[in-house]
Amino acid sequence: MKKLFVTSCIWLLGTSFSIMAEVKDLNFTKKEYKKFEKAEATFKLSEKYQNPYDPEVIKVDAKITEPDGNTYLMPCFYYIPSTFTKGTGTEEKDKATWMLRFTPQKSGEYKVVILTKDNAKEEISKEVNLNVKERDKNGFIRVNKDNKYTLNFDNGAQYY
């Protein structure tokens, strides 16, 4: 037992406690979405990274909790607005932001938190609630569970 305590203390002393990237200004583009509509959010991180596209440097995911309690992770991405015209392209690096996009497939209240991880340290943002209303849309096309040679929409309608 003493050996474990000493090893833990040595490990803690050798660990660097640098400041972690804090999630700021997590905002969805709309207050309310409809089922099967693209939901989009933007946010900033308090820290800047040499290569924000490398998950070895900074990994950012959203933990999404659906109305029925199921949870899943959705990767977030670093976005720099760009304008392309014939022969040229410009980036607006001062408007760079982190983004989350996903498609809610159930109606009800969703809970979203952003998880960031760099240098083996993790941070969790404050929870944001998102309300999703019912909608008469077919949904995504998937392989029929009963007949793998046909396709169906999420609502059960057959896709031809």
Side-chain angles (χ1 to χ4, degrees), residues 44 78-83 89-97:
K44 302 273 187 190
Y78 189 69
Y79 174 73
I80 300 175
S82 302
T83 306
T90 58
E91 290 182 338
E92 300 176 49
K93 291 189 180 197
D94 58 325
K95 295 182 182 177
T97 187

Side-chain angles (χ1 to χ4, degrees), residues 1 12-13 28 47 49 76 79 86 105 107 118 126 144-145 149 156:
M1 188 64 142
L12 282 173
L13 289 172
F28 279 88
E47 299 294 318
Y49 294 92
C76 298
Y79 174 73
K86 194 173 188 175
Q105 299 176 33
S107 56
D118 71 354
K126 292 179 183 175
N144 186 338
K145 294 174 189 168
Y149 297 105

Side-chain angles (χ1 to χ4, degrees), residues 31-37 39 64-70 72 102-111 129-137 139-140 154:
K31 293 195 184 286
E32 190 172 274
Y33 290 90
K34 292 182 180 171
K35 193 171 157 182
F36 298 115
E37 178 182 13
I64 300 171
T65 304
E66 296 177 316
D68 60 5
N70 290 332
Y72 61 92
F102 75 102
T103 304
Q105 299 176 33
K106 299 171 185 169
S107 56
E109 187 174 83
Y110 283 72
K111 295 177 174 130
N129 294 329
L130 179 67
N131 194 21
V132 176
K133 296 287 185 184
E134 190 60 43
R135 181 184 204 183
D136 291 333
K137 280 282 191 181
F140 293 108
D154 282 331

Side-chain angles (χ1 to χ4, degrees), residues 93-152:
K93 291 189 180 197
D94 58 325
K95 295 182 182 177
T97 187
W98 285 89
M99 293 188 78
L100 161 66
R101 285 186 187 142
F102 75 102
T103 304
Q105 299 176 33
K106 299 171 185 169
S107 56
E109 187 174 83
Y110 283 72
K111 295 177 174 130
V112 178
V113 294
I114 303 297
L115 311 171
T116 59
K117 182 177 182 180
D118 71 354
N119 298 329
K121 294 177 292 303
E122 297 182 28
E123 184 75 25
I124 300 173
S125 74
K126 292 179 183 175
E127 185 177 273
V128 173
N129 294 329
L130 179 67
N131 194 21
V132 176
K133 296 287 185 184
E134 190 60 43
R135 181 184 204 183
D136 291 333
K137 280 282 191 181
N138 291 334
F140 293 108
I141 299 170
R142 303 182 194 277
V143 174
N144 186 338
K145 294 174 189 168
D146 300 326
N147 180 354
K148 299 207 185 281
Y149 297 105
T150 61
L151 301 173
N152 285 25

